[in-house]
Amino acid sequence: MSDEHAALAEAVVGIAEQAGLTAAARAALDATHDTVPDAWPLLASQELLALPFDAELLDVAVAVEALGRFPSPGPYVPTVLAAELVKRYGAPNLVQQVGAALGDGTMSMATSICGSPLGESGDADLVLGGAAVSHVVIPVDDADRRWMVLPTADLTLSSEPGMDPSRRVATVSAVTVDPSDDSVLSGL
């Protein structure tokens, strides 16, 4: 690890301490619904949410590892994973929109983890941290079986406690899709 990576890790640890993420994680243990943590704007202002758009994958891994030293509630890892997918497979307009929204903290994201297209089985995939986010990267059962970035307002999500009680898991059971080419992740 380079000196720059060590400095990044140290900065992320400082942000986590400043944000009180450990106390927030303790409070999330008893939560009955998903929320984005109060520290989300702070993570955005420190450019941690949009890091995949501004840095290399190794830098993102360093930030995730440093944040992982703390019990940290919320969808940080699901968000940066989804952002990395958008960066790699999204149309330029989608990349710009998602990068800007993550940069100002108005977006949070998650990714479907099983890959079952909506419409095949009635229920779709599990989405880690999904019921707290504004957008989900999910496969859609259309003629092309495309992966898309969809707003959660267009989805029906239910939430259940996960293995980590401070992080809930969502299941998608219905979707209204009016796909635009801008929401498709080509080649995924």
Side-chain angles (χ1 to χ4, degrees):
M1 187 160 78
S2 71
D3 290 343
E4 292 169 347
H5 291 128
L8 173 61
E10 185 177 321
V12 171
V13 166
I15 293 165
E17 289 171 344
Q18 176 186 355
L21 293 181
T22 300
R26 286 188 187 118
L29 291 174
D30 297 323
T32 58
H33 63 282
D34 299 312
T35 60
V36 172
D38 292 339
W40 203 252
L42 176 63
L43 297 177
S45 72
Q46 298 299 312
E47 301 179 12
L48 291 176
L49 302 180
L51 194 59
F53 297 101
D54 301 327
E56 298 296 320
L57 189 55
L58 180 57
D59 300 320
V60 175
V62 167
V64 167
E65 187 277 330
L67 195 59
R69 296 177 195 172
F70 296 83
S72 305
Y76 179 72
V77 173
T79 295
V80 296
L81 171 62
E84 188 67 35
L85 293 173
V86 169
K87 174 185 167 185
R88 289 176 184 246
Y89 299 105
N93 189 36
L94 180 64
V95 170
Q96 189 277 327
Q97 289 174 355
V98 170
L102 290 175
D104 67 18
T106 58
M107 179 182 271
S108 55
M109 302 178 77
T111 302
S112 165
I113 60 172
C114 298
S116 300
L118 291 171
E120 270 190 357
S121 65
D123 282 350
D125 296 329
L126 297 176
V127 179
L128 299 177
V133 299
S134 63
H135 290 76
V136 174
V137 174
I138 194 161
V140 177
D141 187 25
D142 61 5
D144 300 320
R145 290 185 177 254
R146 300 178 293 179
W147 284 77
M148 305 179 80
V149 177
L150 298 176
T152 54
D154 294 346
L155 306 171
T156 300
L157 299 170
S158 62
S159 175
E160 300 178 22
M163 289 176 54
D164 173 351
S166 69
R167 297 179 196 282
R168 299 179 64 83
V169 177
T171 302
V172 180
S173 59
V175 64
T176 304
V177 179
D178 185 17
S180 72
D181 288 337
D182 285 345
S183 64
V184 174
L185 301 181
S186 298
L188 181 61

